[in-house]
PDB file of all heavy atoms in Angstrom:
ATOM      1  N   VAL A 199     -63.216 -50.556 -16.075  1.00 98.00           N
ATOM      2  CA  VAL A 199     -63.056 -49.423 -15.137  1.00 98.00           C
ATOM      3  C   VAL A 199     -61.973 -49.762 -14.145  1.00 98.00           C
ATOM      4  O   VAL A 199     -62.062 -50.850 -13.593  1.00 98.00           O
ATOM      5  CB  VAL A 199     -64.407 -49.147 -14.460  1.00 98.00           C
ATOM      6  CG1 VAL A 199     -64.254 -47.888 -13.554  1.00 98.00           C
ATOM      7  CG2 VAL A 199     -65.553 -48.982 -15.428  1.00 98.00           C
ATOM      8  N   TRP A 200     -61.103 -48.876 -13.904  1.00 98.00           N
ATOM      9  CA  TRP A 200     -59.984 -49.232 -12.960  1.00 98.00           C
ATOM     10  C   TRP A 200     -59.448 -47.983 -12.262  1.00 98.00           C
ATOM     11  O   TRP A 200     -59.590 -46.885 -12.722  1.00 98.00           O
ATOM     12  CB  TRP A 200     -58.886 -49.986 -13.718  1.00 98.00           C
ATOM     13  CG  TRP A 200     -57.936 -49.273 -14.620  1.00 98.00           C
ATOM     14  CD1 TRP A 200     -56.652 -48.944 -14.330  1.00 98.00           C
ATOM     15  CD2 TRP A 200     -58.172 -48.795 -15.923  1.00 98.00           C
ATOM     16  NE1 TRP A 200     -56.023 -48.325 -15.388  1.00 98.00           N
ATOM     17  CE2 TRP A 200     -56.999 -48.238 -16.404  1.00 98.00           C
ATOM     18  CE3 TRP A 200     -59.293 -48.829 -16.810  1.00 98.00           C
ATOM     19  CZ2 TRP A 200     -56.843 -47.678 -17.629  1.00 98.00           C
ATOM     20  CZ3 TRP A 200     -59.189 -48.299 -18.027  1.00 98.00           C
ATOM     21  CH2 TRP A 200     -57.973 -47.680 -18.457  1.00 98.00           C
ATOM     22  N   LEU A 201     -58.685 -48.249 -11.173  1.00 98.00           N
ATOM     23  CA  LEU A 201     -58.026 -47.229 -10.386  1.00 98.00           C
ATOM     24  C   LEU A 201     -56.489 -47.477 -10.535  1.00 98.00           C
ATOM     25  O   LEU A 201     -56.037 -48.556 -10.653  1.00 98.00           O
ATOM     26  CB  LEU A 201     -58.402 -47.307  -8.935  1.00 98.00           C
ATOM     27  CG  LEU A 201     -59.856 -47.111  -8.546  1.00 98.00           C
ATOM     28  CD1 LEU A 201     -60.031 -47.496  -7.094  1.00 98.00           C
ATOM     29  CD2 LEU A 201     -60.269 -45.700  -8.824  1.00 98.00           C
ATOM     30  N   GLU A 202     -55.740 -46.363 -10.427  1.00 97.00           N
ATOM     31  CA  GLU A 202     -54.314 -46.403 -10.363  1.00 97.00           C
ATOM     32  C   GLU A 202     -53.801 -45.442  -9.267  1.00 97.00           C
ATOM     33  O   GLU A 202     -54.317 -44.386  -9.081  1.00 97.00           O
ATOM     34  CB  GLU A 202     -53.734 -45.939 -11.718  1.00 97.00           C
ATOM     35  CG  GLU A 202     -53.786 -46.993 -12.806  1.00 97.00           C
ATOM     36  CD  GLU A 202     -53.103 -46.442 -14.084  1.00 97.00           C
ATOM     37  OE1 GLU A 202     -53.199 -45.222 -14.348  1.00 97.00           O
ATOM     38  OE2 GLU A 202     -52.531 -47.283 -14.781  1.00 97.00           O
ATOM     39  N   ALA A 203     -52.694 -45.912  -8.662  1.00 97.00           N
ATOM     40  CA  ALA A 203     -51.983 -45.064  -7.720  1.00 97.00           C
ATOM     41  C   ALA A 203     -50.782 -44.426  -8.478  1.00 97.00           C
ATOM     42  O   ALA A 203     -50.044 -45.122  -9.095  1.00 97.00           O
ATOM     43  CB  ALA A 203     -51.500 -45.872  -6.540  1.00 97.00           C
ATOM     44  N   VAL A 204     -50.637 -43.100  -8.326  1.00 96.00           N
ATOM     45  CA  VAL A 204     -49.569 -42.359  -8.943  1.00 96.00           C
ATOM     46  C   VAL A 204     -48.875 -41.436  -8.000  1.00 96.00           C
ATOM     47  O   VAL A 204     -49.369 -41.309  -6.803  1.00 96.00           O
ATOM     48  CB  VAL A 204     -50.084 -41.578 -10.184  1.00 96.00           C
ATOM     49  CG1 VAL A 204     -50.711 -42.496 -11.245  1.00 96.00           C
ATOM     50  CG2 VAL A 204     -51.079 -40.470  -9.765  1.00 96.00           C
ATOM     51  N   GLY A 205     -47.842 -40.806  -8.370  1.00 93.00           N
ATOM     52  CA  GLY A 205     -47.145 -39.857  -7.544  1.00 93.00           C
ATOM     53  C   GLY A 205     -47.732 -38.429  -7.615  1.00 93.00           C
ATOM     54  O   GLY A 205     -48.669 -38.203  -8.392  1.00 93.00           O
ATOM     55  N   GLU A 206     -47.175 -37.512  -6.826  1.00 93.00           N
ATOM     56  CA  GLU A 206     -47.614 -36.143  -6.919  1.00 93.00           C
ATOM     57  C   GLU A 206     -47.377 -35.568  -8.334  1.00 93.00           C
ATOM     58  O   GLU A 206     -48.147 -34.701  -8.805  1.00 93.00           O
ATOM     59  CB  GLU A 206     -46.901 -35.296  -5.873  1.00 93.00           C
ATOM     60  CG  GLU A 206     -47.418 -35.350  -4.505  1.00 93.00           C
ATOM     61  CD  GLU A 206     -48.912 -34.895  -4.482  1.00 93.00           C
ATOM     62  OE1 GLU A 206     -49.236 -33.800  -5.013  1.00 93.00           O
ATOM     63  OE2 GLU A 206     -49.772 -35.657  -3.911  1.00 93.00           O
ATOM     64  N   SER A 207     -46.326 -35.988  -9.007  1.00 95.00           N
ATOM     65  CA  SER A 207     -46.095 -35.713 -10.409  1.00 95.00           C
ATOM     66  C   SER A 207     -46.206 -37.046 -11.156  1.00 95.00           C
ATOM     67  O   SER A 207     -45.582 -38.039 -10.748  1.00 95.00           O
ATOM     68  CB  SER A 207     -44.745 -35.094 -10.645  1.00 95.00           C
ATOM     69  OG  SER A 207     -44.605 -33.910  -9.862  1.00 95.00           O
ATOM     70  N   TYR A 208     -46.984 -37.065 -12.186  1.00 97.00           N
ATOM     71  CA  TYR A 208     -47.146 -38.414 -12.836  1.00 97.00           C
ATOM     72  C   TYR A 208     -47.343 -38.249 -14.387  1.00 97.00           C
ATOM     73  O   TYR A 208     -47.698 -37.154 -14.855  1.00 97.00           O
ATOM     74  CB  TYR A 208     -48.417 -39.086 -12.272  1.00 97.00           C
ATOM     75  CG  TYR A 208     -49.759 -38.364 -12.487  1.00 97.00           C
ATOM     76  CD1 TYR A 208     -50.542 -38.671 -13.624  1.00 97.00           C
ATOM     77  CD2 TYR A 208     -50.167 -37.406 -11.586  1.00 97.00           C
ATOM     78  CE1 TYR A 208     -51.740 -37.997 -13.846  1.00 97.00           C
ATOM     79  CE2 TYR A 208     -51.380 -36.788 -11.765  1.00 97.00           C
ATOM     80  CZ  TYR A 208     -52.144 -37.053 -12.876  1.00 97.00           C
ATOM     81  OH  TYR A 208     -53.356 -36.346 -13.066  1.00 97.00           O
ATOM     82  N   ILE A 209     -47.053 -39.293 -15.084  1.00 97.00           N
ATOM     83  CA  ILE A 209     -47.149 -39.286 -16.554  1.00 97.00           C
ATOM     84  C   ILE A 209     -48.577 -39.416 -16.970  1.00 97.00           C
ATOM     85  O   ILE A 209     -49.293 -40.327 -16.552  1.00 97.00           O
ATOM     86  CB  ILE A 209     -46.307 -40.487 -17.151  1.00 97.00           C
ATOM     87  CG1 ILE A 209     -44.819 -40.285 -16.758  1.00 97.00           C
ATOM     88  CG2 ILE A 209     -46.535 -40.629 -18.643  1.00 97.00           C
ATOM     89  CD1 ILE A 209     -43.983 -41.524 -16.998  1.00 97.00           C
ATOM     90  N   SER A 210     -49.047 -38.475 -17.856  1.00 97.00           N
ATOM     91  CA  SER A 210     -50.412 -38.544 -18.267  1.00 97.00           C
ATOM     92  C   SER A 210     -50.564 -39.036 -19.694  1.00 97.00           C
ATOM     93  O   SER A 210     -51.598 -39.520 -20.105  1.00 97.00           O
ATOM     94  CB  SER A 210     -51.058 -37.123 -18.101  1.00 97.00           C
ATOM     95  OG  SER A 210     -50.382 -36.230 -18.949  1.00 97.00           O
ATOM     96  N   SER A 211     -49.559 -38.824 -20.479  1.00 97.00           N
ATOM     97  CA  SER A 211     -49.609 -39.362 -21.934  1.00 97.00           C
ATOM     98  C   SER A 211     -48.158 -39.625 -22.453  1.00 97.00           C
ATOM     99  O   SER A 211     -47.169 -39.029 -21.976  1.00 97.00           O
ATOM    100  CB  SER A 211     -50.310 -38.390 -22.776  1.00 97.00           C
ATOM    101  OG  SER A 211     -49.596 -37.215 -23.012  1.00 97.00           O
ATOM    102  N   ILE A 212     -48.109 -40.554 -23.391  1.00 98.00           N
ATOM    103  CA  ILE A 212     -46.883 -40.931 -24.050  1.00 98.00           C
ATOM    104  C   ILE A 212     -47.151 -40.986 -25.561  1.00 98.00           C
ATOM    105  O   ILE A 212     -48.159 -41.557 -25.978  1.00 98.00           O
ATOM    106  CB  ILE A 212     -46.397 -42.296 -23.588  1.00 98.00           C
ATOM    107  CG1 ILE A 212     -46.246 -42.381 -22.042  1.00 98.00           C
ATOM    108  CG2 ILE A 212     -45.069 -42.661 -24.240  1.00 98.00           C
ATOM    109  CD1 ILE A 212     -46.055 -43.744 -21.545  1.00 98.00           C
ATOM    110  N   ARG A 213     -46.248 -40.441 -26.349  1.00 98.00           N
ATOM    111  CA  ARG A 213     -46.265 -40.620 -27.774  1.00 98.00           C
ATOM    112  C   ARG A 213     -44.872 -41.162 -28.190  1.00 98.00           C
ATOM    113  O   ARG A 213     -43.864 -40.460 -27.998  1.00 98.00           O
ATOM    114  CB  ARG A 213     -46.609 -39.339 -28.526  1.00 98.00           C
ATOM    115  CG  ARG A 213     -46.584 -39.547 -30.024  1.00 98.00           C
ATOM    116  CD  ARG A 213     -47.021 -38.292 -30.764  1.00 98.00           C
ATOM    117  NE  ARG A 213     -48.490 -38.218 -30.861  1.00 98.00           N
ATOM    118  CZ  ARG A 213     -49.112 -37.660 -31.863  1.00 98.00           C
ATOM    119  NH1 ARG A 213     -48.456 -37.080 -32.863  1.00 98.00           N
ATOM    120  NH2 ARG A 213     -50.431 -37.607 -31.905  1.00 98.00           N
ATOM    121  N   VAL A 214     -44.867 -42.343 -28.754  1.00 98.00           N
ATOM    122  CA  VAL A 214     -43.573 -42.890 -29.215  1.00 98.00           C
ATOM    123  C   VAL A 214     -43.598 -42.966 -30.729  1.00 98.00           C
ATOM    124  O   VAL A 214     -44.487 -43.502 -31.348  1.00 98.00           O
ATOM    125  CB  VAL A 214     -43.401 -44.402 -28.655  1.00 98.00           C
ATOM    126  CG1 VAL A 214     -42.070 -44.921 -29.081  1.00 98.00           C
ATOM    127  CG2 VAL A 214     -43.564 -44.389 -27.104  1.00 98.00           C
ATOM    128  N   VAL A 215     -42.580 -42.305 -31.354  1.00 98.00           N
ATOM    129  CA  VAL A 215     -42.475 -42.171 -32.777  1.00 98.00           C
ATOM    130  C   VAL A 215     -41.239 -42.867 -33.244  1.00 98.00           C
ATOM    131  O   VAL A 215     -40.124 -42.386 -33.064  1.00 98.00           O
ATOM    132  CB  VAL A 215     -42.441 -40.677 -33.195  1.00 98.00           C
ATOM    133  CG1 VAL A 215     -42.513 -40.582 -34.754  1.00 98.00           C
ATOM    134  CG2 VAL A 215     -43.648 -39.903 -32.669  1.00 98.00           C
TER     135      VAL A 215
END
Side-chain angles (χ1 to χ4, degrees):
V199 184
W200 77 105
L201 300 171
E202 283 182 325
V204 301
E206 278 300 311
S207 302
Y208 64 93
I209 296 168
S210 63
S211 68
I212 305 167
R213 176 176 280 208
V214 182
V215 185

